[in-house]
Amino acid sequence: MICAGKRTARFSAVLTLLAALPAWASDSLTVVTWGGPYEAAQRQAIFEPFTAETGIEIETRRYAGGLEALAGRAEAEGWDVVDMLENEAIAGCEAGLLRPLDGMAATPPSPDSDPADDFLPGAFRDCSVAQNVFATVMAYDQRAFPGLKPSRIEDFFDLERFPGKRAVEKSPDVILEWALLAEGVPPSQVYDLLSTDRGLRLAFRKLETIRDAIVWWEEVAEPAELLEAGAVSMASGYNGRFFAIARDQGAPVTIVWDGRVIGYEVWAIAASSRKPDEAERFLGFATAPRQQARLAELIPYGPSRLSALELVGLHPETNIPMQQQLPNAPQHGPRFLLRDSPWYAHTEALRQRRFEAWLKGTTQ
């Protein structure tokens, strides 16, 4: 058995070699992603350059995440590469829905570089490799608060000082972490406390204070659209979506970085993929520093490689310095959480059960 450290080093080094494999010009590859400004940025930074270099056409499918979609659609729709949240990739790997990447470790590492040292800690899992860093953040409609502005996660739960509807994902993800942060729990203790009945009760008690003000969302584009339309005064959502609607449509939307929950977006290969060689080649290309930097220049999701971070420059249309917009930029403040992906993967059933009970108003 290959130890985790050696496997990670070899696997990560192989990613850069895969781009040098012979092209399969007559083939296409199906890449599953999230649509919207994110997919548009991927197309420009990764998909089109990959086709230009290899001759392999990229066909995209869109989904809203979740293992149900992976289990129900992957084989029927010919999914090859899947853009996933890391915790869902962990669960999908354990369920046999994703292709293990350990076999790639047998390929000799590059003689002139060691990408393993270049990736962020924990970037490699048995079935996935981290591609970018995102954050779930709170954002607000500037028109709703002409005077005092929301500035911390506690304000999301303060309907007296900051009235209005709140757009919240219909899921226990992130909102329970925010509830504990708003109760004064230090970030380092949040996941330990949420692993207990007392912690869950405390979080749901805080969530109860805004129950009547919540507008639930399920599609990733919704929170930014709800803010733009004035349907809510605050929303939870992905930082890139809020950035894009403010930049592209001039929406009066401001991000609050306090309490952000930072996570990894990963690439994985569907177990049912009929083109694993091409899929592996895509992983090597997509995780190269230049491609990661190009993506970050188009939409503010941070690279998973340190060398890529150094390459991130200005947005090509607005000349906004994009390094300053990334979720892990130091000026965004010290209070944040690193999304605990293994915890997410292994507590999903419990959290969902308690969340559904709360939605119905039953005892937690």
Side-chain angles (χ1 to χ4, degrees), residues 11 17 34 66 93 117 164 237 242 269 291 331 348:
F11 169 39
L17 289 179
W34 303 79
C93 187
D117 296 334
F242 294 134
I269 299 174
Q291 273 62 252
Q331 69 268 25
E348 181 179 4

Side-chain angles (χ1 to χ4, degrees), residues 6-23:
K6 291 182 179 178
R7 184 182 63 195
T8 297
R10 292 179 184 176
F11 169 39
S12 56
V14 168
L15 292 176
T16 58
L17 289 179
L18 291 171
L21 295 175

Side-chain angles (χ1 to χ4, degrees), residues 302-316:
S304 63
R305 300 185 69 158
L306 300 178
S307 59
L309 184 61
E310 298 172 357
L311 299 175
V312 177
L314 304 179
H315 188 278

Side-chain angles (χ1 to χ4, degrees), residues 283-328:
L283 262 62
F285 183 89
T287 55
R290 183 63 263 174
Q291 273 62 252
Q292 289 197 355
R294 285 174 181 167
L295 183 69
E297 287 172 351
L298 293 167
I299 194 164
Y301 295 128
S304 63
R305 300 185 69 158
L306 300 178
S307 59
L309 184 61
E310 298 172 357
L311 299 175
V312 177
L314 304 179
H315 188 278
E317 296 177 4
T318 63
N319 289 326
I320 295 174
M322 292 302 286
Q323 277 193 357
Q324 300 175 14
Q325 304 296 323
L326 302 181
N328 46 350

Side-chain angles (χ1 to χ4, degrees), residues 52-77:
E53 180 169 309
T54 68
I56 302 173
E57 296 289 338
I58 297 294
E59 297 181 5
T60 59
R61 298 284 188 274
R62 297 182 183 90
Y63 82 139
L67 295 191
E68 290 184 3
L70 181 63
R73 297 172 54 190
E75 186 169 5
E77 298 180 8

Side-chain angles (χ1 to χ4, degrees), residues 154 177 179-194 202 334-337:
E154 285 85 351
E177 288 102 304
L180 291 189
L181 288 176
E183 284 288 277
V185 177
S188 62
Q189 298 177 21
V190 165
Y191 287 115
D192 285 342
L193 190 55
L194 279 178
L202 180 62
R335 191 165 68 152
F336 65 90
L337 278 172

Side-chain angles (χ1 to χ4, degrees), residues 67-306:
L67 295 191
E68 290 184 3
L70 181 63
R73 297 172 54 190
E75 186 169 5
E77 298 180 8
W79 291 10
D80 296 305
V81 178
V82 189
D83 185 325
M84 305 185 72
L85 300 181
E86 186 182 47
N87 59 287
E88 293 184 348
I90 292 172
C93 187
E94 293 175 353
L97 298 173
L98 297 175
R99 182 182 178 86
L101 298 178
D102 295 350
M104 298 168 63
T107 304
S110 172
D112 56 358
S113 64
D114 186 2
D117 296 334
D118 195 28
F119 281 85
L120 296 175
F124 297 94
R125 301 285 180 180
D126 288 341
C127 296
S128 66
V129 56
Q131 52 151 318
N132 67 61
V133 178
F134 69 95
T136 303
V137 296
M138 159 187 156
Y140 66 87
D141 178 358
Q142 299 165 6
R143 298 164 297 187
F145 307 112
L148 184 65
K149 312 292 186 186
S151 61
R152 29 176 225 158
I153 210 63
E154 285 85 351
D155 298 336
F156 196 83
F157 298 88
D158 191 342
L159 296 175
E160 183 175 346
R161 291 201 308 157
F162 301 100
K165 297 290 186 179
R166 270 52 168 169
V168 179
E169 183 178 11
K170 198 170 186 180
S171 162
D173 297 359
V174 176
I175 193 63
L176 296 184
E177 288 102 304
W178 283 2
L180 291 189
L181 288 176
E183 284 288 277
V185 177
S188 62
Q189 298 177 21
V190 165
Y191 287 115
D192 285 342
L193 190 55
L194 279 178
S195 300
T196 68
D197 180 72
R198 183 173 73 89
L200 287 169
R201 287 180 178 273
L202 180 62
F204 281 113
R205 186 179 70 188
K206 188 67 173 181
L207 189 56
E208 185 67 29
T209 65
I210 61 169
R211 179 193 281 271
D212 294 338
I214 292 175
V215 174
W216 298 110
W217 63 264
E218 298 185 63
E219 299 292 334
V220 295
E222 290 181 69
E225 293 170 352
L226 288 167
L227 282 174
E228 182 188 30
V232 299
S233 62
M234 295 189 201
S236 68
Y238 296 136
N239 69 287
R241 292 279 178 164
F242 294 134
F243 172 86
I245 203 166
R247 181 202 67 204
D248 297 338
Q249 301 180 34
V253 172
T254 295
I255 292 174
V256 174
W257 292 100
D258 180 65
R260 63 198 180 278
V261 179
I262 297 175
Y264 286 168
E265 193 82 9
V266 305
W267 289 119
I269 299 174
S272 59
S273 172
R274 299 179 180 89
K275 302 170 184 175
D277 292 339
E278 295 94 323
E280 289 177 357
R281 186 176 187 189
F282 176 86
L283 262 62
F285 183 89
T287 55
R290 183 63 263 174
Q291 273 62 252
Q292 289 197 355
R294 285 174 181 167
L295 183 69
E297 287 172 351
L298 293 167
I299 194 164
Y301 295 128
S304 63
R305 300 185 69 158
L306 300 178

